[in-house]
Amino acid sequence: MSEQTLSNLLKEDRRFEPPADLAEHANLTAEAYERADADYEAFWAEQAGRLSWETPFERVLDWDDAPFAKWFVGGRINAAYNCVDRHVEAGHGDRVALHFVGEPVDDTRDLTYAQLKDEVSQAANALTALGVETGDRVAIYMPMIPEAVIAMLACARIGAPHTVVFGGFSSDALATRLADCKAKAIVTADGGYRRGAPSALKPAVDEARAKAASNGHDVSKVLVVQRTGQDLETWDDDVDVWWHDAVGSASTEHACEFFDAEHPLFVMYTSGTTGKPKGILHTTGGYLTGSAYTHWAVFDLKPETDVYWCTADIGWITGHSYITYGPMANGATQVLYEGTPDSPERGRWWDIIEKYGVTLFYTAPTAIRSFMKQGREIPDGRDLSSLRLLGSVGEPINPEAYVWYRHVIGADKTPVVDTWWQTETGSIMISPLPGVTHGKPGSAMIPIPGISAEVVDDEGNPVPDGSGGLLVLTKPWPSMLRTIYGDDERYVDTYWSRFRKQGYYFAGDGAKKDTDGDLWVLGRVDDVMNVSGHRLSTTEIESALVSHPKVAEAAVVGAQDEDTGQAVCAFVILTDEAGDGGKDIVEDLRNHVRKEIGPIAKPRQVMVVAELPKTRSGKIMRRLLKDVAENREVGDVTTLADSSVMDLISKGSKASS
Ligand code: WT7
């Protein structure tokens, strides 16, 4: 974000007080900040107490081997039992857990907690029968259907860590992840509905399994949900099993085993600064404590009356913490929607809110900006009066989008909670408490009770109010990542080496403290882009580009974009043999990235250039390229004449020096 925008942001002085009735009945009040400060371990022990432990823990935190943490030492727990069984045992079996809304209109299904208990038990029995044992990794590559949540909980139930791969990722991306975590089985579907049509998933699984096999890793079973009924080109009887056969015929009785609090719950891959995605490892007791506590506190959840809806996909951390684990550990009733916001028409989301009486709504700024563009007539035509709280996540929310969200969607009565966190943090770290903290458009405000954050300079000293620096977390927290799967060294290097002396966790984000001491997260300070709230690595896209036979060298930057926050812009040098690459080169390369990684990584622009600006030591000057990408008026696809790019680059270099 440029300094210009930053100073505009900091002039933002609108304030929104918590609504009186929310404040009066709020789950968490101002006193919690003091209590957490006074005795942080006692505070977290109290939060862990929202869960049912088979064996109570003996020690809250073991940080002796920092930065390798153990939380709730000695405790034994089962995540699926906590998310499902205990609600049935407490007499809430008839409560709806999921209002499933398929993309085809009228394709809906409600699942109560009692039904979910049966289905999760069946799926757990089926996985065991397929040879999945405690500790084995299971990949999940699914559309947003109830079976995705059921598969996650079934894995948790038998202690088999899952790795959910976003259904929009390519077979290559899936293959890399399968091989990295050596997945024993995959749960998938024939396809899902996307913009009104069935979209296949199973063929990508077949391809990924073949690729993983050629890299020496065999996946032994693939469990396939029949969602669309589309034709499958291939079916391997030794490997492929229909969900309705294996799960459908399994017993609904499953006695669950309890695991150590530190038993791995899942691995979630996310982009880092190198080409290789990082497998972020989360464990059971601490992660569940963090996701349940924050969901209850930040969304002020009243499970008997609220209807909650988080629009994220299960393939991202938001779907893990704020669809599957947090809300279900709290016994919430929620909407699960399969499709896109504008299918079959633009008001689809608002129709769903009206139909189910959604009270708590959680989405991303990029979605809000696209609704702003479509105009307020669309939401104004629906009854959204059930809403009492709105959440935002994934990227900084610009004040205009915040105010529109509150005003048009929230009828000026709902607080907006801007929640900052990461795949690594497992749950929300910085956010207003809706019944306590006033809202300031664009600011995530302060760390929630139990969390300690700071903005520091390069030496690790806190910056004064009114200045900027790097965002760090100064104390460990229960839902923190435990390591990068199979790579402890990278874990230490990436997060803990920058401020080793102070022992701070380095988040990779720049931030500013305003004169009130409130925090404004400004975006990544490393080679990671944020496109529509999704994290992408510049290096990963560069590797995809150079894997194309016509590309000799590539540099990728994230340029500011009105709709998506940042957009992928690529500069490429072609090989000598490729000549000018042919007339379709730009489109070919964009599609190549799409195929290698997935549609979300498809560059907005590809510019073919003769040279790339480099420092004396040979490092590509990305800042400069970013200036070029941001200053130039370009259409969807552009091949710039070499000279004009170099011209722009040199102009940019003058401008920025
Ligand atoms: C990165 C983490 C957390 C779930 C979704 C993304 C950015 C996230 C905010 C926010 C400003 C935000 C940061 C962070 N980010 N939320 N409220 N305000 N920036 O998870 O893929 O792990 O990405 O998203 O840059 O480091 P993720």
Short mmCIF file of all heavy atoms in Angstrom, two decimals, residues 327-372:
data_model
loop_
_atom_site.label_atom_id
_atom_site.label_comp_id
_atom_site.label_asym_id
_atom_site.label_seq_id
_atom_site.Cartn_x
_atom_site.Cartn_y
_atom_site.Cartn_z
N PRO A 327 -17.27 -23.28 15.04
CA PRO A 327 -18.74 -23.28 15.19
C PRO A 327 -19.28 -24.61 15.69
O PRO A 327 -20.20 -24.64 16.51
CB PRO A 327 -19.24 -22.99 13.77
CG PRO A 327 -18.10 -22.30 13.10
CD PRO A 327 -16.85 -22.86 13.70
N MET A 328 -18.74 -25.71 15.22
CA MET A 328 -19.31 -26.99 15.62
C MET A 328 -18.92 -27.34 17.04
O MET A 328 -19.71 -27.93 17.78
CB MET A 328 -18.93 -28.07 14.61
CG MET A 328 -19.42 -27.63 13.23
SD MET A 328 -19.54 -28.91 12.01
CE MET A 328 -21.05 -29.60 12.45
N ALA A 329 -17.71 -26.97 17.47
CA ALA A 329 -17.36 -27.18 18.87
C ALA A 329 -18.32 -26.40 19.76
O ALA A 329 -18.62 -26.80 20.88
CB ALA A 329 -15.91 -26.75 19.14
N ASN A 330 -18.83 -25.28 19.24
CA ASN A 330 -19.76 -24.46 20.02
C ASN A 330 -21.22 -24.86 19.83
O ASN A 330 -22.12 -24.20 20.35
CB ASN A 330 -19.61 -22.98 19.62
CG ASN A 330 -18.27 -22.41 20.08
OD1 ASN A 330 -17.69 -22.87 21.05
ND2 ASN A 330 -17.78 -21.41 19.36
N GLY A 331 -21.48 -25.87 19.03
CA GLY A 331 -22.87 -26.31 18.81
C GLY A 331 -23.70 -25.32 18.00
O GLY A 331 -24.90 -25.21 18.20
N ALA A 332 -23.06 -24.62 17.07
CA ALA A 332 -23.76 -23.60 16.30
C ALA A 332 -24.63 -24.22 15.21
O ALA A 332 -24.43 -25.35 14.79
CB ALA A 332 -22.75 -22.66 15.65
N THR A 333 -25.61 -23.43 14.75
CA THR A 333 -26.38 -23.75 13.55
C THR A 333 -25.82 -22.88 12.43
O THR A 333 -25.74 -21.66 12.59
CB THR A 333 -27.87 -23.42 13.77
OG1 THR A 333 -28.38 -24.30 14.77
CG2 THR A 333 -28.67 -23.57 12.48
N GLN A 334 -25.43 -23.49 11.33
CA GLN A 334 -24.84 -22.67 10.28
C GLN A 334 -25.29 -23.07 8.88
O GLN A 334 -25.76 -24.17 8.64
CB GLN A 334 -23.31 -22.70 10.36
CG GLN A 334 -22.70 -24.06 10.10
CD GLN A 334 -21.17 -24.04 10.22
OE1 GLN A 334 -20.53 -23.10 9.76
NE2 GLN A 334 -20.60 -25.06 10.84
N VAL A 335 -25.10 -22.11 7.97
CA VAL A 335 -25.37 -22.33 6.55
C VAL A 335 -24.07 -22.82 5.90
O VAL A 335 -22.98 -22.35 6.22
CB VAL A 335 -25.81 -21.00 5.88
CG1 VAL A 335 -25.82 -21.14 4.36
CG2 VAL A 335 -27.18 -20.58 6.39
N LEU A 336 -24.21 -23.81 5.01
CA LEU A 336 -23.06 -24.26 4.21
C LEU A 336 -23.51 -24.13 2.76
O LEU A 336 -24.46 -24.79 2.34
CB LEU A 336 -22.76 -25.73 4.53
CG LEU A 336 -21.55 -26.34 3.82
CD1 LEU A 336 -20.26 -25.88 4.49
CD2 LEU A 336 -21.61 -27.87 3.84
N TYR A 337 -22.85 -23.25 2.01
CA TYR A 337 -23.28 -22.98 0.64
C TYR A 337 -22.23 -23.46 -0.36
O TYR A 337 -21.06 -23.16 -0.23
CB TYR A 337 -23.58 -21.48 0.46
CG TYR A 337 -23.90 -21.09 -0.96
CD1 TYR A 337 -24.90 -21.77 -1.66
CD2 TYR A 337 -23.21 -20.07 -1.61
CE1 TYR A 337 -25.20 -21.43 -2.98
CE2 TYR A 337 -23.51 -19.72 -2.93
CZ TYR A 337 -24.50 -20.41 -3.61
OH TYR A 337 -24.78 -20.09 -4.91
N GLU A 338 -22.71 -24.20 -1.37
CA GLU A 338 -21.80 -24.82 -2.32
C GLU A 338 -21.23 -23.87 -3.37
O GLU A 338 -20.10 -24.06 -3.83
CB GLU A 338 -22.56 -25.93 -3.07
CG GLU A 338 -21.73 -26.65 -4.12
CD GLU A 338 -22.54 -27.67 -4.92
OE1 GLU A 338 -23.77 -27.51 -5.02
OE2 GLU A 338 -21.94 -28.63 -5.41
N GLY A 339 -22.01 -22.87 -3.77
CA GLY A 339 -21.70 -22.23 -5.05
C GLY A 339 -21.10 -20.85 -4.98
O GLY A 339 -20.52 -20.43 -3.99
N THR A 340 -21.28 -20.12 -6.08
CA THR A 340 -20.74 -18.78 -6.23
C THR A 340 -21.82 -17.76 -5.83
O THR A 340 -23.00 -18.06 -5.84
CB THR A 340 -20.34 -18.57 -7.70
OG1 THR A 340 -21.40 -19.06 -8.52
CG2 THR A 340 -19.09 -19.34 -8.04
N PRO A 341 -21.39 -16.51 -5.52
CA PRO A 341 -22.33 -15.50 -5.03
C PRO A 341 -23.37 -15.09 -6.08
O PRO A 341 -24.42 -14.59 -5.73
CB PRO A 341 -21.45 -14.30 -4.70
CG PRO A 341 -20.06 -14.80 -4.69
CD PRO A 341 -20.00 -16.04 -5.49
N ASP A 342 -23.06 -15.31 -7.36
CA ASP A 342 -23.93 -14.75 -8.40
C ASP A 342 -24.58 -15.82 -9.26
O ASP A 342 -24.89 -15.60 -10.42
CB ASP A 342 -23.14 -13.77 -9.27
CG ASP A 342 -21.82 -14.36 -9.72
OD1 ASP A 342 -21.58 -15.55 -9.42
OD2 ASP A 342 -21.04 -13.65 -10.35
N SER A 343 -24.77 -17.02 -8.69
CA SER A 343 -25.41 -18.05 -9.49
C SER A 343 -26.68 -18.54 -8.78
O SER A 343 -26.62 -18.86 -7.61
CB SER A 343 -24.44 -19.22 -9.67
OG SER A 343 -24.90 -20.08 -10.65
N PRO A 344 -27.82 -18.64 -9.42
CA PRO A 344 -28.05 -18.27 -10.82
C PRO A 344 -28.17 -16.77 -11.04
O PRO A 344 -28.20 -16.34 -12.19
CB PRO A 344 -29.39 -18.96 -11.13
CG PRO A 344 -30.10 -19.01 -9.82
CD PRO A 344 -29.03 -19.15 -8.78
N GLU A 345 -28.26 -15.97 -9.98
CA GLU A 345 -28.31 -14.53 -10.20
C GLU A 345 -27.63 -13.81 -9.05
O GLU A 345 -27.30 -14.42 -8.03
CB GLU A 345 -29.76 -14.06 -10.38
CG GLU A 345 -30.67 -14.65 -9.32
CD GLU A 345 -31.87 -13.80 -9.01
OE1 GLU A 345 -31.92 -12.65 -9.45
OE2 GLU A 345 -32.74 -14.30 -8.28
N ARG A 346 -27.48 -12.52 -9.21
CA ARG A 346 -26.63 -11.76 -8.31
C ARG A 346 -27.08 -11.69 -6.85
O ARG A 346 -26.26 -11.50 -5.97
CB ARG A 346 -26.46 -10.35 -8.85
CG ARG A 346 -25.48 -10.32 -9.98
CD ARG A 346 -25.57 -9.01 -10.66
NE ARG A 346 -24.38 -8.77 -11.47
CZ ARG A 346 -24.12 -7.62 -12.05
NH1 ARG A 346 -24.96 -6.61 -11.93
NH2 ARG A 346 -23.03 -7.49 -12.76
N GLY A 347 -28.36 -11.83 -6.59
CA GLY A 347 -28.79 -11.70 -5.20
C GLY A 347 -28.74 -13.00 -4.41
O GLY A 347 -29.28 -13.09 -3.31
N ARG A 348 -28.05 -14.01 -4.93
CA ARG A 348 -28.12 -15.34 -4.30
C ARG A 348 -27.77 -15.33 -2.81
O ARG A 348 -28.46 -15.92 -1.99
CB ARG A 348 -27.21 -16.31 -5.05
CG ARG A 348 -27.36 -17.76 -4.60
CD ARG A 348 -28.65 -18.37 -5.09
NE ARG A 348 -29.06 -19.59 -4.40
CZ ARG A 348 -28.71 -20.82 -4.76
NH1 ARG A 348 -27.95 -21.02 -5.81
NH2 ARG A 348 -29.14 -21.87 -4.06
N TRP A 349 -26.67 -14.66 -2.47
CA TRP A 349 -26.28 -14.66 -1.05
C TRP A 349 -27.36 -14.03 -0.17
O TRP A 349 -27.64 -14.50 0.93
CB TRP A 349 -24.96 -13.88 -0.87
CG TRP A 349 -23.75 -14.71 -1.13
CD1 TRP A 349 -23.70 -15.94 -1.74
CD2 TRP A 349 -22.40 -14.36 -0.79
NE1 TRP A 349 -22.39 -16.36 -1.81
CE2 TRP A 349 -21.58 -15.42 -1.24
CE3 TRP A 349 -21.80 -13.26 -0.17
CZ2 TRP A 349 -20.19 -15.41 -1.08
CZ3 TRP A 349 -20.42 -13.24 -0.01
CH2 TRP A 349 -19.62 -14.32 -0.46
N TRP A 350 -27.95 -12.92 -0.66
CA TRP A 350 -28.93 -12.20 0.16
C TRP A 350 -30.21 -13.02 0.30
O TRP A 350 -30.87 -13.00 1.33
CB TRP A 350 -29.19 -10.80 -0.41
CG TRP A 350 -27.90 -10.15 -0.88
CD1 TRP A 350 -27.63 -9.67 -2.12
CD2 TRP A 350 -26.69 -9.96 -0.11
NE1 TRP A 350 -26.34 -9.18 -2.17
CE2 TRP A 350 -25.74 -9.35 -0.96
CE3 TRP A 350 -26.31 -10.24 1.21
CZ2 TRP A 350 -24.44 -9.02 -0.54
CZ3 TRP A 350 -25.02 -9.91 1.63
CH2 TRP A 350 -24.12 -9.32 0.77
N ASP A 351 -30.52 -13.80 -0.77
CA ASP A 351 -31.67 -14.71 -0.68
C ASP A 351 -31.45 -15.73 0.44
O ASP A 351 -32.37 -16.08 1.17
CB ASP A 351 -31.86 -15.48 -2.00
CG ASP A 351 -32.44 -14.60 -3.10
OD1 ASP A 351 -33.04 -13.56 -2.77
OD2 ASP A 351 -32.27 -14.94 -4.28
N ILE A 352 -30.22 -16.22 0.51
CA ILE A 352 -29.92 -17.24 1.53
C ILE A 352 -30.02 -16.63 2.92
O ILE A 352 -30.59 -17.23 3.84
CB ILE A 352 -28.51 -17.85 1.28
CG1 ILE A 352 -28.51 -18.62 -0.06
CG2 ILE A 352 -28.08 -18.74 2.43
CD1 ILE A 352 -27.14 -19.10 -0.53
N ILE A 353 -29.51 -15.42 3.09
CA ILE A 353 -29.60 -14.75 4.40
C ILE A 353 -31.07 -14.57 4.80
O ILE A 353 -31.47 -14.86 5.92
CB ILE A 353 -28.85 -13.39 4.38
CG1 ILE A 353 -27.36 -13.64 4.23
CG2 ILE A 353 -29.18 -12.56 5.63
CD1 ILE A 353 -26.49 -12.40 4.20
N GLU A 354 -31.87 -14.14 3.81
CA GLU A 354 -33.29 -13.92 4.10
C GLU A 354 -33.98 -15.24 4.44
O GLU A 354 -34.68 -15.34 5.45
CB GLU A 354 -33.95 -13.27 2.88
CG GLU A 354 -35.43 -13.02 3.06
CD GLU A 354 -36.07 -12.28 1.87
OE1 GLU A 354 -35.63 -11.15 1.57
OE2 GLU A 354 -36.99 -12.84 1.27
N LYS A 355 -33.73 -16.26 3.64
CA LYS A 355 -34.43 -17.53 3.83
C LYS A 355 -34.12 -18.17 5.19
O LYS A 355 -35.00 -18.67 5.87
CB LYS A 355 -34.07 -18.49 2.70
CG LYS A 355 -34.62 -19.89 2.95
CD LYS A 355 -34.60 -20.79 1.75
CE LYS A 355 -35.15 -22.15 2.18
NZ LYS A 355 -34.80 -23.21 1.26
N TYR A 356 -32.84 -18.16 5.58
CA TYR A 356 -32.47 -18.85 6.82
C TYR A 356 -32.41 -17.92 8.03
O TYR A 356 -32.09 -18.35 9.13
CB TYR A 356 -31.15 -19.59 6.64
CG TYR A 356 -31.32 -20.78 5.69
CD1 TYR A 356 -30.98 -20.68 4.35
CD2 TYR A 356 -31.87 -21.97 6.15
CE1 TYR A 356 -31.17 -21.75 3.48
CE2 TYR A 356 -32.07 -23.04 5.29
CZ TYR A 356 -31.71 -22.92 3.96
OH TYR A 356 -31.92 -23.98 3.11
N GLY A 357 -32.65 -16.63 7.82
CA GLY A 357 -32.59 -15.70 8.94
C GLY A 357 -31.19 -15.63 9.55
O GLY A 357 -31.01 -15.65 10.77
N VAL A 358 -30.19 -15.54 8.67
CA VAL A 358 -28.80 -15.51 9.15
C VAL A 358 -28.59 -14.30 10.05
O VAL A 358 -29.01 -13.18 9.73
CB VAL A 358 -27.82 -15.47 7.94
CG1 VAL A 358 -26.38 -15.23 8.40
CG2 VAL A 358 -27.93 -16.77 7.15
N THR A 359 -27.97 -14.54 11.21
CA THR A 359 -27.73 -13.46 12.17
C THR A 359 -26.27 -13.01 12.19
O THR A 359 -25.96 -11.86 12.45
CB THR A 359 -28.13 -13.89 13.60
OG1 THR A 359 -27.41 -15.09 13.94
CG2 THR A 359 -29.63 -14.18 13.70
N LEU A 360 -25.35 -13.96 11.96
CA LEU A 360 -23.92 -13.66 12.01
C LEU A 360 -23.33 -14.03 10.66
O LEU A 360 -23.50 -15.16 10.20
CB LEU A 360 -23.24 -14.50 13.10
CG LEU A 360 -23.91 -14.55 14.48
CD1 LEU A 360 -23.22 -15.58 15.38
CD2 LEU A 360 -23.88 -13.16 15.12
N PHE A 361 -22.65 -13.09 10.03
CA PHE A 361 -22.20 -13.30 8.65
C PHE A 361 -20.72 -12.95 8.54
O PHE A 361 -20.29 -11.90 9.01
CB PHE A 361 -23.05 -12.41 7.73
CG PHE A 361 -22.76 -12.58 6.26
CD1 PHE A 361 -22.95 -13.79 5.63
CD2 PHE A 361 -22.31 -11.49 5.50
CE1 PHE A 361 -22.71 -13.93 4.26
CE2 PHE A 361 -22.08 -11.63 4.14
CZ PHE A 361 -22.27 -12.86 3.52
N TYR A 362 -19.95 -13.83 7.90
CA TYR A 362 -18.48 -13.67 7.84
C TYR A 362 -18.02 -13.84 6.41
O TYR A 362 -18.23 -14.90 5.80
CB TYR A 362 -17.88 -14.77 8.73
CG TYR A 362 -16.42 -14.61 9.14
CD1 TYR A 362 -15.79 -13.37 9.22
CD2 TYR A 362 -15.67 -15.74 9.50
CE1 TYR A 362 -14.47 -13.26 9.64
CE2 TYR A 362 -14.35 -15.64 9.92
CZ TYR A 362 -13.75 -14.40 9.99
OH TYR A 362 -12.44 -14.32 10.41
N THR A 363 -17.44 -12.78 5.83
CA THR A 363 -16.97 -12.89 4.45
C THR A 363 -15.71 -12.05 4.24
O THR A 363 -15.12 -11.55 5.20
CB THR A 363 -18.10 -12.54 3.46
OG1 THR A 363 -17.73 -12.97 2.14
CG2 THR A 363 -18.38 -11.04 3.42
N ALA A 364 -15.29 -11.91 2.97
CA ALA A 364 -14.03 -11.26 2.66
C ALA A 364 -14.25 -9.92 1.96
O ALA A 364 -15.22 -9.75 1.23
CB ALA A 364 -13.20 -12.17 1.77
N PRO A 365 -13.33 -8.96 2.15
CA PRO A 365 -13.46 -7.65 1.51
C PRO A 365 -13.64 -7.72 -0.01
O PRO A 365 -14.38 -6.92 -0.58
CB PRO A 365 -12.14 -6.95 1.86
CG PRO A 365 -11.71 -7.58 3.13
CD PRO A 365 -12.15 -9.01 3.05
N THR A 366 -13.00 -8.67 -0.67
CA THR A 366 -13.10 -8.74 -2.12
C THR A 366 -14.55 -8.98 -2.54
O THR A 366 -15.03 -8.41 -3.52
CB THR A 366 -12.12 -9.81 -2.68
OG1 THR A 366 -12.12 -9.74 -4.08
CG2 THR A 366 -12.49 -11.21 -2.22
N ALA A 367 -15.27 -9.79 -1.78
CA ALA A 367 -16.68 -10.05 -2.08
C ALA A 367 -17.49 -8.76 -1.85
O ALA A 367 -18.32 -8.38 -2.67
CB ALA A 367 -17.21 -11.17 -1.21
N ILE A 368 -17.19 -8.09 -0.74
CA ILE A 368 -17.92 -6.86 -0.43
C ILE A 368 -17.73 -5.83 -1.55
O ILE A 368 -18.68 -5.21 -2.01
CB ILE A 368 -17.46 -6.28 0.93
CG1 ILE A 368 -17.69 -7.32 2.04
CG2 ILE A 368 -18.18 -4.97 1.25
CD1 ILE A 368 -16.98 -7.01 3.34
N ARG A 369 -16.49 -5.71 -2.03
CA ARG A 369 -16.23 -4.74 -3.11
C ARG A 369 -16.99 -5.10 -4.38
O ARG A 369 -17.47 -4.23 -5.08
CB ARG A 369 -14.72 -4.65 -3.38
CG ARG A 369 -13.96 -3.89 -2.29
CD ARG A 369 -12.55 -3.55 -2.74
NE ARG A 369 -11.79 -4.76 -3.03
CZ ARG A 369 -10.99 -5.38 -2.17
NH1 ARG A 369 -10.84 -4.90 -0.95
NH2 ARG A 369 -10.33 -6.47 -2.52
N SER A 370 -17.12 -6.40 -4.66
CA SER A 370 -17.84 -6.72 -5.88
C SER A 370 -19.33 -6.44 -5.73
O SER A 370 -19.98 -6.03 -6.67
CB SER A 370 -17.53 -8.15 -6.36
OG SER A 370 -18.19 -9.07 -5.55
N PHE A 371 -19.88 -6.59 -4.51
CA PHE A 371 -21.29 -6.24 -4.31
C PHE A 371 -21.50 -4.73 -4.40
O PHE A 371 -22.52 -4.26 -4.89
CB PHE A 371 -21.79 -6.74 -2.96
CG PHE A 371 -21.79 -8.23 -2.86
CD1 PHE A 371 -21.22 -8.88 -1.77
CD2 PHE A 371 -22.35 -9.00 -3.87
CE1 PHE A 371 -21.21 -10.27 -1.70
CE2 PHE A 371 -22.35 -10.38 -3.81
CZ PHE A 371 -21.77 -11.01 -2.72
N MET A 372 -20.50 -3.97 -3.91
CA MET A 372 -20.60 -2.51 -4.01
C MET A 372 -20.73 -2.09 -5.46
O MET A 372 -21.51 -1.22 -5.81
CB MET A 372 -19.33 -1.86 -3.44
CG MET A 372 -19.28 -1.81 -1.95
SD MET A 372 -17.67 -1.20 -1.39
CE MET A 372 -17.86 0.56 -1.63
#
